[in-house]
């Protein structure tokens, strides 16, 4: 038994009332709810409202508001949204580390051998950091012009603040405190952080492209 358009609208409004405003996740949950309710109505002869109440009870905990330190305690979203955010953010960090570690290892060997003098490269690195920052801001303003919210969009906004701050703090054009070489000594921690910042920037490109892909799906 297929739900009517009015019934589907009712489910969509229910999800929006629970602050599930991300189009991609809302469509996924809407499909789950509709399929379960249709099955209950068809198999047990339950009316729509009763079937909806039964299903909403199952999703009660998943739709309760939660916050998390890693995304900022000011961000309160339903548990299912938060879990989706955290899963993707963890994947972002793991992929960045997988790319970061071998690069850091090779650079450490090269720089320790004094084969390469990177001090003249500091201004270039600083310009690259500023370029990344401006690109992120451009992506952000493009997304704010679009009314459709998505999971990638939410993660982009939640992570861009502290990432941008790190770009400024470690920018060699602005400070010498975190240069990779200090008094002729290679500081491996600073090398790791600088390479990590460069590698992590790829995630913002991926998030933006995924957001645009969802927008195209919504326009079909």
């Amino acid at each position: 038994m297929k739900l009517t358009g009015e019934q589907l609208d009712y489910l969509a409004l229910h999800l929006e009332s629970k602050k599930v405003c991300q189009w991609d996740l809302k469509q996924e949950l809407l499909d789950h709810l509709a399929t379960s309710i249709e099955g209950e109505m068809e198999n047990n002869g339950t009316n729509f409202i009763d079937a909806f109440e039964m299903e909403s009870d199952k999703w009660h905990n998943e739709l309760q508001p939660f916050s998390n330190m890693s995304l900022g305690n000011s961000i309160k979203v339903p548990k299912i949204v938060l879990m989706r955010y955290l899963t993707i953010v963890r994947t972002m960090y793991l992929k960045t580390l997988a790319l970061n570690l071998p690069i850091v290892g090779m650079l450490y060997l090269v720089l320790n051998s004094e084969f390469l003098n990177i001090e003249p490269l500091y201004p270039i690195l600083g310009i690259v950091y500023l370029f990344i920052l401006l690109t992120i801001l451009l992506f952000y303003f493009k997304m704010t012009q679009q009314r459709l919210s998505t999971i990638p969009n939410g993660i982009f906004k939640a992570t861009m603040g502290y990432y941008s701050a790190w770009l400024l703090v470690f920018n060699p054009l602005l400070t010498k405190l975190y240069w990779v070489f200090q008094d002729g000594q290679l500081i491996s921690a600073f090398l790791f952080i600088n390479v990590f910042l460069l590698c992590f920037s790829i995630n913002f490109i991926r998030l933006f492209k995924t957001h645009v892909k969802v927008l195209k799906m919504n326009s079909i």
Side-chain angles (χ1 to χ4, degrees):
M1 180 182 295
K2 291 292 183 181
L3 298 184
T4 66
E6 186 176 323
Q7 290 168 335
L8 289 172
D9 288 342
Y10 183 87
L11 296 181
L13 288 173
H14 171 71
L15 291 174
E16 290 172 10
S17 72
K18 296 295 185 179
K19 307 300 182 184
V20 181
C21 301
Q22 298 78 10
W23 184 85
D24 42 355
L25 182 60
K26 185 171 71 174
Q27 292 301 118
E28 182 183 325
L29 294 181
L30 189 58
D31 287 341
H32 280 297
L33 288 171
T35 300
S36 297
I37 291 172
E38 287 169 354
E40 177 63 27
M41 292 170 66
E42 184 173 345
N43 297 329
N44 300 318
T46 310
N47 63 55
F48 171 74
I49 294 299
D50 288 342
F52 165 75
E53 292 294 340
M54 292 170 60
E55 194 62 25
S56 62
D57 285 343
K58 296 177 184 177
W59 288 88
H60 176 75
N61 289 334
E62 295 295 319
L63 297 176
Q64 290 301 297
F66 277 78
S67 62
N68 186 275
M69 284 288 293
S70 61
L71 294 175
N73 279 331
S74 61
I75 301 176
K76 286 196 173 182
V77 293
K79 182 180 179 181
I80 190 169
V81 176
L82 182 63
M83 291 299 103
R84 186 67 58 90
Y85 277 10
L86 291 177
T87 298
I88 295 174
V89 169
R90 288 190 190 105
T91 301
M92 287 165 51
Y93 275 95
L94 289 174
K95 286 184 176 180
T96 302
L97 282 172
L99 179 63
N100 182 57
L101 291 175
I103 295 175
V104 169
M106 288 186 290
L107 284 176
Y108 185 83
L109 293 175
V110 171
L111 295 176
N112 254 339
S113 65
E114 299 182 355
F115 179 76
L116 176 66
N117 178 20
I118 66 168
E119 192 163 336
L121 301 178
Y122 285 140
I124 298 175
L125 179 62
I127 293 170
V128 170
Y129 279 4
L130 292 176
F131 175 78
I132 293 172
L133 180 58
L134 289 174
T135 302
I136 289 174
L137 290 174
L138 177 62
F139 285 167
Y140 172 75
F141 285 122
K142 282 189 175 182
M143 287 189 294
T144 56
Q145 293 173 353
Q146 302 152 345
R147 295 183 178 180
L148 190 67
S149 177
T150 65
I151 289 291
N153 168 289
I155 295 172
F156 191 106
K157 292 178 180 179
T159 55
M160 67 171 286
Y162 63 79
Y163 176 76
S164 298
W166 279 75
L167 284 180
L168 292 174
V169 168
F170 278 85
N171 191 317
L173 290 178
L174 304 178
T175 179
K176 296 182 179 181
L177 291 176
Y178 305 109
W179 281 15
V180 174
F181 276 97
Q182 301 279 345
D183 298 325
Q185 297 294 318
L186 175 63
I187 310 299
S188 55
F190 294 162
L191 175 64
F192 176 90
I193 293 172
N194 279 281
V195 175
F196 186 90
L197 288 173
L198 292 171
C199 293
F200 195 84
S201 64
I202 299 172
N203 290 296
F204 291 97
I205 299 173
R206 289 173 177 163
L207 290 171
F208 181 75
K209 290 175 67 175
T210 305
H211 173 71
V212 171
K213 184 178 179 180
V214 173
L215 291 181
K216 291 180 178 178
M217 290 172 58
N218 184 52
S219 64
I220 296 175

